[in-house]
């Protein structure tokens, strides 16, 4: 689907479009690389600690930048954003534990199923039947995931693959909740993000204080070398702060559809980074599965968008 399909935004010259597109594409690249980065600095025993460190670094910046609008939030908006923050904490826990137990390539491709799950879940909630094209695209994506997890031959999916699948479902719940919690619909996006991340950090901090949840954030930070700190800064500054502000900036200068299309290349970059830098191998079945996932999600995104235009 091209940007011209969205009438809400005026035509953009090719030169200006590239100026806007390149930062958004950079966000897709860093998000794709985030799976390998998280895998490189996280173990099963440091998942919660790394999450505390990752978001505790960026949260003060978001609070300072958006302090005025943050204070203007109503009680209902705080509560709604707090609920979304709880869901967000579950997403990050599932994703981080998942990437520890699977490849970065698998993680990036499986999580892209959110683009298929969300319209299906919305159709179930609104009782609007999805198009035949979308159902076919969903089936293609699911078949791709099955093949993707069988890169070394037909075996049971790994625990990490299943956790990433649950993370994709949790992302779907998060998207639907944002659309259905009335109080947050008109909330300032920066303030909403800040409260959600604050709620997630609070959950991680509580979990870190409980016995049996792994190393503490302080001991984990003390044990980090230059490589681990570089990975943590990459996740915090580029994958969180940079990504959020680029999205806010780009949506005001181009169409949401164009931004979504560019961000939808994230699984491509996850696979490229995992294979080229992480030394991961998919095998014949894995490559076939990756192609089906990418084709299915692209087809499904297009079919879902066409369905929205028809209903409108």
């Amino acid at each position: 689907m091209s940007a011209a399909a969205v009438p809400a935004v005026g035509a953009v010259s090719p030169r200006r479009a590239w100026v806007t597109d390149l930062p958004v594409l950079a966000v897709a690249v860093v998000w794709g690389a985030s799976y390998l980065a998280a895998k490189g600095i996280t173990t099963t025993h440091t998942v919660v600690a790394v999450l505390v460190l990752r978001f505790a670094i960026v949260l003060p910046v978001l609070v300072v930048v958006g302090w005025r609008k943050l204070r203007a939030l109503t009680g209902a908006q705080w509560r709604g954003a707090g609920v979304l923050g709880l869901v967000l904490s579950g997403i990050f826990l599932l994703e981080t534990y998942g990437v520890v137990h699977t490849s970065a390539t698998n993680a990036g491709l499986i999580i892209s199923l959110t683009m298929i799950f969300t319209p299906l879940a919305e159709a179930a909630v609104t009782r609007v039947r999805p198009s035949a094209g979308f159902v076919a695209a969903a089936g293609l994506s699911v078949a791709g995931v099955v093949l993707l997890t069988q890169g070394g031959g037909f075996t049971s999916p790994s625990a990490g693959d299943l956790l990433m699948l649950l993370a994709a479902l949790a992302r779907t719940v998060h998207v639907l909740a944002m659309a259905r919690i009335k109080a947050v619909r008109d909330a300032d996006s920066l303030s909403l993000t800040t409260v959600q991340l604050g709620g997630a950090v609070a959950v991680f901090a509580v979990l870190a204080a409980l016995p049996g949840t792994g190393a503490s954030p302080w001991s984990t930070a003390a044990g980090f070398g230059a490589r681990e700190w570089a990975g943590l800064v990459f996740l915090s500054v580029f994958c969180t702060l940079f990504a959020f502000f680029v999205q806010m900036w780009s949506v005001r200068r181009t169409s949401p559809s164009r931004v979504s299309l560019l961000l939808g290349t994230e699984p491509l970059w996850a696979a490229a980074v995992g294979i080229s830098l992480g030394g991961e191998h998919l095998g014949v079945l894995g490559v076939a599965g990756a192609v089906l996932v990418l084709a299915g999600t692209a087809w499904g995104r297009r079919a879902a968008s066409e369905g929205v235009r028809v209903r409108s």
Side-chain angles (χ1 to χ4, degrees), residues 33-43 96 98-105 227 235 280:
S34 68
Y35 301 100
L36 186 61
K39 190 175 181 66
I41 67 171
T42 313
T43 67
T96 311
V99 79
V100 167
H101 294 289
T102 189
S103 67
T105 302
R227 184 180 67 85
L235 290 171
E280 298 176 352

Side-chain angles (χ1 to χ4, degrees), residues 115-299:
M115 291 182 282
I116 294 295
F117 292 158
T118 301
L120 286 176
E122 187 178 15
V125 171
T126 60
R127 297 182 180 180
V128 176
R129 182 178 298 179
S131 67
F134 182 84
V135 173
L140 193 67
S141 298
V142 172
V145 168
V146 172
L147 289 178
L148 178 66
T149 59
Q150 309 303 314
F154 284 98
T155 58
S156 299
S158 70
D161 294 332
L162 295 176
L163 287 171
M164 294 308 300
L165 192 61
L166 290 174
L169 291 171
R171 280 195 184 189
T172 298
V173 171
H174 187 259
V175 171
L176 292 182
M178 287 189 68
R180 298 183 72 83
I181 297 177
K182 295 180 180 180
V184 303
R185 290 178 184 172
D186 299 324
D188 172 65
S189 57
L190 175 59
S191 301
L192 183 61
T193 300
T194 303
V195 176
Q196 287 186 78
L197 287 181
V201 169
V203 171
F204 302 147
V206 170
L207 290 177
L210 297 176
T213 55
S216 70
W218 327 117
S219 63
T220 300
F224 273 0
R227 184 180 67 85
E228 289 79 11
W229 276 109
L232 184 66
V233 169
F234 174 76
L235 290 171
S236 299
V237 176
F238 290 95
C239 299
T240 306
L241 275 181
F242 170 75
F244 175 76
F245 285 111
V246 165
Q247 286 182 87
M248 287 184 61
W249 172 81
S250 61
V251 167
R252 288 173 170 82
R253 289 162 175 79
T254 185
S255 72
S257 299
R258 193 178 185 94
V259 172
S260 176
L261 183 64
L262 292 167
L263 294 180
T265 64
E266 175 190 345
L268 282 173
W269 300 110
V273 171
I275 293 170
S276 62
L277 299 181
E280 298 176 352
H281 302 282
L282 288 178
V284 176
L285 289 177
V287 170
V291 170
L292 290 182
V293 170
L294 294 172
T297 52
W299 184 13

Side-chain angles (χ1 to χ4, degrees), residues 56-80:
I57 290 174
V58 302
L59 192 59
V61 177
L62 293 176
V63 171
V64 170
V65 171
W67 177 248
R68 183 175 299 176
K69 292 184 177 180
L70 195 61
R71 292 180 61 187
L73 291 178
T74 65
Q77 288 173 331
W78 275 91
R79 290 189 294 272

Side-chain angles (χ1 to χ4, degrees), residues 40-56:
I41 67 171
T42 313
T43 67
T44 303
H45 300 291
T46 61
V47 166
V48 175
V50 167
L51 287 172
V52 171
L53 294 171
R54 173 181 175 178
F55 294 108

